[in-house]
Amino acid sequence: MNGNGHVFGAGGGQRSMRLDADLSAFYSQALQYVAAQAFDVKRQPLLSRQLIPTIQGIPEWAETFKFRGHELVGSAGLGSDKANAPRRANVIARESTPVSIVTRWSSFSYSEEEILAARAQSIPLSSLYMQAALRAVEQMIDSDLALGDASVGILGLLNQTGTTTETASTKAAGGTSWTGASADEIALDVFNLIDKIADDTHDDQAKYRIVLPRTKLQRMRKVRMGDGQGGDTVYKHVLETHEQIESIRPWSRCLTAGTNSATRMCAFPVDAGVVGAVVPREPRLGAPVVGLMETEQAITARCGGVVAFYPLQIGYMDAI
């Protein structure tokens, strides 16, 4: 793989790569086999796609994504009170700032010698090149959905603007982070974050998914409520007590996502109509391009980060 994230096979030179009909047929069949292997291989999970619901229906050719909202205004009054007539009801349409959708890509290639050697030995081409290119694209999408990309103006789940923020109770009292906090203090922090979102949005029905660093989740699973001897763990207590918490999941992206690279706990609705990933094109294999001594192929995807239709329904708590 070179410095730009492109994956190349061996070879080089100054003459064009020429494949006869039989070799072209072998290469085409072998590449189909390689693609099936690469796209089906079990890889270390990249969690952004698992955690954040995807917005459906965005065409893959779209350069930007924007949405319209409607604000209902007006008031009602007393029929006999002519002097204080109510404000006439109306609907105000508001349009969001367009979000850029960019192409993420990587490539791989096979030299003429590699294709000839594979045919001579009746073995398929290696899938490792394609797997490396596919992984590079998936890692970029994972990063886009978590933290966005300031260079192209897209945001991730963990750095949205206009969100609900709450201060950890232990930090507000001048204490330590969760490392030295009691079970009651940890549970209170989680409850406070969800309740702050509900208060700010006047919504006590939404179900929220909480993501936080794995070390913080492990502490929730170890520390017990009450005297710490026989009570429920903080993790179990929180899930069973607060009806608006859907799940609590570990996410390494939270480790330094907060202000000044602090740890960040994030709560958000599991609803693509509230917050969703913009991925109009899943990773896809392009057509072969014959070049100098090698045939190159690209894997491309399209991504616009994460869009929050209602930013206040995303909650952050830092330095836990």
Side-chain angles (χ1 to χ4, degrees):
M1 182 180 295
N2 71 4
N4 295 320
H6 311 319
V7 181
F8 298 101
Q14 299 298 319
R15 66 184 181 85
S16 296
M17 180 176 178
R18 299 177 182 273
L19 303 181
D20 60 28
D22 289 341
L23 197 57
S24 293
F26 167 81
Y27 178 72
S28 177
Q29 293 172 358
L31 201 59
Q32 290 178 15
Y33 175 82
V34 169
Q37 275 192 319
F39 280 78
D40 191 50
V41 71
K42 303 300 181 185
R43 288 176 289 273
Q44 181 181 356
L46 298 171
L47 295 181
S48 295
R49 301 300 305 277
Q50 297 179 26
L51 295 171
I52 308 167
T54 300
I55 301 170
Q56 302 298 322
I58 305 175
E60 65 174 58
W61 45 262
E63 296 293 329
T64 60
F65 174 77
K66 61 183 178 181
F67 58 92
R68 293 180 176 87
H70 297 88
E71 181 181 358
L72 308 181
V73 298
S75 59
L78 185 64
S80 60
D81 187 3
K82 305 298 183 183
N84 298 301
R87 179 183 177 186
R88 178 171 294 175
N90 198 0
V91 177
I92 301 175
R94 303 188 187 279
E95 190 170 86
S96 72
T97 301
V99 174
S100 297
I101 298 175
V102 297
T103 298
R104 298 305 193 187
W105 71 284
S106 187
S107 66
F108 65 97
S109 64
Y110 288 100
S111 69
E112 183 176 358
E113 286 78 9
E114 288 174 306
I115 299 172
L116 287 167
R119 185 183 67 168
Q121 300 174 62
S122 298
I123 59 174
L125 296 165
S126 171
S127 66
L128 294 179
Y129 295 150
M130 190 182 296
Q131 286 181 31
L134 177 59
R135 181 68 175 182
V137 173
E138 290 178 334
Q139 286 176 327
M140 183 61 75
I141 294 175
D142 188 79
S143 178
D144 286 343
L145 298 186
L147 302 170
D149 185 342
S151 69
V152 292
I154 61 178
L155 297 175
L157 175 64
L158 298 175
N159 63 348
Q160 293 288 318
T161 59
T163 58
T164 297
T165 59
E166 178 70 332
T167 302
S169 58
T170 51
K171 300 294 285 188
T176 61
S177 66
W178 282 12
T179 302
S182 68
D184 290 335
E185 289 172 326
I186 295 172
L188 181 62
D189 279 347
V190 178
F191 290 152
N192 283 348
L193 180 59
I194 299 299
D195 291 341
K196 182 68 160 51
I197 300 173
D199 290 343
D200 287 355
T201 61
H202 308 290
D203 184 354
D204 58 2
Q205 301 298 317
K207 297 291 187 180
Y208 293 92
R209 174 170 292 163
I210 295 173
V211 291
L212 72 176
R214 180 175 295 279
T215 54
K216 306 303 180 181
L217 180 57
Q218 287 173 335
R219 181 155 180 79
M220 290 183 69
R221 286 173 169 163
K222 292 177 181 178
V223 178
R224 295 187 177 276
M225 303 297 297
D227 59 9
Q229 300 301 313
D232 289 336
T233 63
V234 176
Y235 176 77
K236 184 177 180 181
H237 172 73
V238 166
L239 286 176
E240 292 183 350
T241 302
H242 206 303
E243 68 281 357
Q244 286 190 264
I245 299 177
E246 177 260 358
S247 62
I248 305 174
R249 307 277 294 275
W251 197 16
S252 62
R253 297 284 187 179
C254 296
L255 276 170
T256 56
T259 303
N260 297 323
S261 298
T263 57
R264 170 161 285 182
M265 174 167 60
C266 171
F268 63 99
V270 191
D271 181 353
V274 177
V275 54
V278 178
V279 188
R281 181 194 298 168
E282 298 290 341
R284 187 172 69 193
L285 181 65
V289 177
V290 177
L292 296 175
M293 292 292 291
E294 61 187 16
T295 294
E296 184 177 12
Q297 282 190 275
I299 294 176
T300 63
R302 302 270 290 158
C303 184
V306 168
V307 169
F309 298 96
Y310 304 101
L312 278 177
Q313 288 202 285
I314 300 175
Y316 298 144
M317 180 180 286
D318 288 353
I320 59 174

